């Protein structure tokens, strides 16, 4: 019986700056249908920090439980099978999906046609289905080895943007003539504005697409050339406050919400709360005039999958993805972080908002990744 050494990158649930690397050992002796995966790489963006920030509210700590008071932040990436007791899953197969920030994941697999498997480990059964499916890269028509870093970084975020674009179009944009996107440099925002700009052109919509970003990120955001107007947070007065406006908020910054709501008044017709990148500034003294509506991608995905069916859902998503990925790879450069010490630096920087939006961060923790 061979033992496999593994590590988990754990963080204290109520004190995200406090982290602990936990070493553990897996046996290659597995129970029926169990599969042991070695995680080759995963992406890391503010979205992972948000998983930690809302981990208790939205059950993100429940995916990969660890020692008491600590949690493992989930991340999207690719892993190889190193041991399998499932008849349809072989050592060496490579799967894309939702992994712990760890070197390994042990799952109980239930295969779905040939496309991949569900992890049906008991504690995951009550969690949103979208997170429990692992895609066999050999069966995935949009997978290529050359784009797997981009897939790890953008695919989960892109799904959200695809769903928001679809949702707004379904609602006829609430009759808005302006869409205001905060944290315009974030990857989810870039995906969203690309989809909106494409729709605007195809359907000749009267929509002013405005990106709000930090002063230092204006140059980067301009590179994508899809926002109609890009403003820094210091220039909110340049917003066309007379337009009927939808806000798509990725920052979660209370004071920014307050300023935008005051500026737009009754012209704010829909306030869509998607992200919390500025998680340390969620609270503020001034009461917000209007409440927003929280957008949760897994819920919307389930609604759309029921209406379109899973096959059509994937086809629509696949077409939109191809269009986006060709554009975005021109402006993003991949940055690799190898080993746990390197991840510590990235994680702590990201917590503090030290983010260079031009970088697509890929983490490689496992020792075979590091050779
Ligand atoms: N509701 C859902 O279902 C859902 C799904 C997917 C993503 N999201 C959320 O969308 C948000 C964006 O995620 P992402 O991965 O796309 O982000 P990202 O690419 O890592 O975003 C980076 C940008 O966010 C801003 N930022 C990051 N950290 C900050 C901080 N601490 N303080 C202030 N600004 C900060 C900066 O943009 P600016 O300078 O432009 O402000 C930075 O360039 C996350 O909160 C994520 O959880 C939600």
């Amino acid at each position: 019986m061979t033992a496999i050494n593994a590590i988990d990158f754990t963080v204290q649930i109520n004190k995200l700056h406090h982290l602990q690397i936990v070493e553990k050992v897996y046996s290659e002796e597995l129970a029926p249908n169990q599969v042991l995966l070695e995680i080759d790489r995963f992406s890391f963006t503010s979205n992972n920090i948000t998983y930690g920030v809302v981990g208790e509210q939205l059950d993100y700590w429940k995916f990969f439980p660890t020692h008491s008071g600590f949690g493992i932040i989930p991340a999207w990436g690719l892993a190889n099978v190193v041991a399998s007791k499932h008849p349809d899953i072989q050592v060496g197969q490579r799967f894309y999906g939702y992994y712990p920030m760890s070197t390994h994941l042990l799952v109980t697999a239930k295969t779905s046609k040939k496309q991949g498997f569900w992890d049906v480990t008991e504690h995951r059964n009550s969690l949103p289905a979208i997170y429990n499916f692992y895609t066999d890269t050999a069966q995935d028509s949009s997978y290529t080895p050359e784009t797997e870093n981009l897939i790890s970084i953008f695919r989960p975020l892109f799904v959200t943007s695809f769903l928001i674009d679809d949702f707004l179009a379904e609602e006829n944009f609430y009759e808005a003539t302006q869409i205001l996107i905060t944290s315009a440099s974030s990857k989810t925002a870039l995906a969203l504005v690309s989809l909106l700009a494409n729709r605007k052109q195809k359907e000749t919509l009267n929509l002013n697409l405005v990106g709000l970003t930090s002063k230092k990120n204006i140059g980067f955001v301009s590179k994508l050339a899809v926002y109609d107007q890009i403003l820094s947070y210091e220039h909110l007065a340049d917003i066309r406050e007379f337009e009927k406006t939808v806000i798509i908020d990725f920052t979660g910054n209370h004071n920014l919400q307050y300023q935008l709501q005051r500026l737009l008044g009754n012209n704010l017709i829909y306030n869509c709360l998607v992200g919390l990148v500025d998680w340390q500034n969620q609270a503020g003294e001034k009461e917000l005039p209007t409440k927003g509506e929280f957008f949760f991608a897994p819920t919307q995905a389930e609604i759309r999958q029921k209406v379109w069916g899973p096959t059509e859902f994937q086809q629509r998503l696949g077409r939109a993805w191809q269009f986006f990925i060709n554009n975005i790879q021109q402006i993003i450069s991949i940055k690799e972080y190898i080993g746990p010490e390197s991840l510590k630096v990235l994680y702590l920087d990201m917590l503090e908002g030290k983010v260079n939006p031009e970088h697509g961060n890929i983490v490689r923790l496992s020792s075979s990744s590091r050779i």
Side-chain angles (χ1 to χ4, degrees), residues 22-39:
V22 175
E23 295 185 5
K24 64 186 188 193
V25 175
Y26 287 103
S27 156
E28 268 188 6
E29 285 298 304
L30 305 180
N33 295 327
Q34 279 191 332
V35 175
L36 182 63
L37 295 127
E38 181 171 25
I39 301 161

Side-chain angles (χ1 to χ4, degrees), residues 41 43 77-78 94 96 137 140-156 321-322 324-329 334 362:
R41 62 188 66 217
S43 63
L78 292 132
R94 192 164 173 81
Y96 163 81
T137 56
D140 178 355
S141 58
S142 58
Y143 170 86
T144 65
E146 297 74 36
T147 53
E148 65 177 12
N149 286 331
L150 290 169
I151 288 173
S152 300
I153 296 163
F154 280 103
R155 196 184 272 182
W321 166 257
Q322 220 49 60
F324 171 70
I325 208 70
N326 292 339
N327 293 342
I328 200 68
Q329 55 189 327
I334 301 298
I362 291 291

Side-chain angles (χ1 to χ4, degrees), residues 45-47 50 160 183 185 187-188 213-214 217 233 276 295 297:
T45 71
S46 308
N47 185 41
T50 306
T160 302
S183 278
S185 69
K187 293 179 171 55
T188 319
T213 188
S214 313
N217 291 333
Y233 298 117
L276 287 176
F295 184 91

Side-chain angles (χ1 to χ4, degrees), residues 146-310:
E146 297 74 36
T147 53
E148 65 177 12
N149 286 331
L150 290 169
I151 288 173
S152 300
I153 296 163
F154 280 103
R155 196 184 272 182
L157 305 174
F158 182 78
V159 174
T160 302
S161 309
F162 170 80
L163 291 164
I164 297 173
D165 168 66
D166 167 69
F167 165 75
L168 290 178
E170 184 78 2
E171 297 293 340
N172 198 23
F173 296 91
Y174 294 90
E175 313 291 337
T177 50
Q178 177 163 261
I179 312 280
L180 206 65
I181 301 176
T182 70
S183 278
S185 69
S186 68
K187 293 179 171 55
T188 319
L190 294 174
L192 175 63
V193 73
S194 302
L195 291 165
L196 290 171
N198 189 40
R199 187 184 287 280
K200 175 180 165 175
Q201 193 200 5
K202 275 193 180 151
E203 298 174 18
T204 45
L205 301 171
N206 173 27
L207 276 180
N208 188 36
L209 300 175
V210 187
L212 291 179
T213 188
S214 313
K215 210 165 157 188
K216 66 177 171 49
N217 291 333
I218 286 196
F220 167 71
V221 174
S222 311
K223 282 190 193 169
L224 197 62
V226 281
Y227 286 103
D228 297 310
Q229 206 182 351
I230 300 166
L231 298 171
S232 76
Y233 298 117
E234 291 77 19
H235 287 94
L236 301 186
D238 292 343
I239 291 171
R240 297 192 210 160
E241 80 289 350
F242 50 85
E243 305 267 13
K244 298 273 180 221
T245 301
V246 168
I247 294 178
I248 309 288
D249 188 21
F250 290 104
T251 72
N253 177 308
H254 181 95
N255 291 339
L256 177 64
Q257 266 284 331
Y258 181 82
Q259 290 177 70
L260 293 175
Q261 291 190 18
R262 287 297 298 262
L263 182 76
L264 291 164
N266 290 337
N267 283 334
L268 171 56
I269 49 176
Y270 188 69
N271 187 17
C272 184
L273 310 177
V274 188
L276 287 176
V277 291
D278 200 357
W279 63 283
Q280 296 185 92
N281 290 302
Q282 290 178 69
E285 280 171 16
K286 295 173 185 150
E287 201 183 323
L288 297 177
T290 315
K291 284 207 164 51
E293 225 169 85
F294 181 60
F295 184 91
F296 189 47
T299 309
Q300 186 64 17
E302 277 177 26
I303 293 171
R304 268 322 194 189
Q305 280 182 338
K306 270 190 196 137
V307 176
W308 293 335

Side-chain angles (χ1 to χ4, degrees), residues 100-111:
M101 297 207 328
S102 305
T103 54
H104 293 79
L105 174 66
L106 180 65
V107 298
T108 305
K110 182 176 174 220
T111 45

